[in-house]
Amino acid sequence: GSLKIEVRSHGPLIAPDIFVEGPTSTVFGEAFRSLSAEGDTAWFLVPIERHGRHELEGESVTITVIDGDRRIEQRQVVDPAP
């Protein structure tokens, strides 16, 4: 599976990168990134490999986004896929 994450910024994003941490039974791969034409939104697709439980929804993950000197870390509960 994969985790889709959207990041919005008040200023332009230069080269954002993302790191995801979660349950020990989950391995998060290297994210694929795309940027909006305006540079204020980035979309990440993070590959997931689960051992044991198949669903990640309802689990807490820590998401860290780094862009140059800027960084933010936030804990989120994974929503079900639409």
Side-chain angles (χ1 to χ4, degrees):
S2 60
L3 187 62
K4 297 177 185 175
I5 301 170
E6 179 177 287
V7 175
R8 295 182 187 181
S9 175
H10 293 291
L13 296 162
I14 307 303
D17 203 356
I18 194 166
F19 302 94
V20 182
E21 301 168 86
T24 57
S25 61
T26 306
V27 176
F28 297 95
E30 186 175 343
F32 299 95
R33 178 192 73 206
S34 58
L35 289 172
S36 67
E38 298 80 16
D40 62 350
T41 305
W43 296 275
F44 295 94
L45 187 62
V46 182
I48 299 171
E49 184 179 327
R50 294 279 289 170
H51 302 284
R53 212 175 133 203
H54 295 292
E55 304 297 325
L56 190 58
E57 68 184 52
E59 299 273 2
S60 292
V61 295
T62 301
I63 300 167
T64 304
V65 178
I66 299 172
D67 186 46
D69 292 338
R70 302 183 297 171
R71 80 178 55 224
I72 186 169
E73 181 175 289
Q74 191 168 24
R75 192 149 181 85
Q76 292 287 314
V77 173
V78 176
D79 290 333

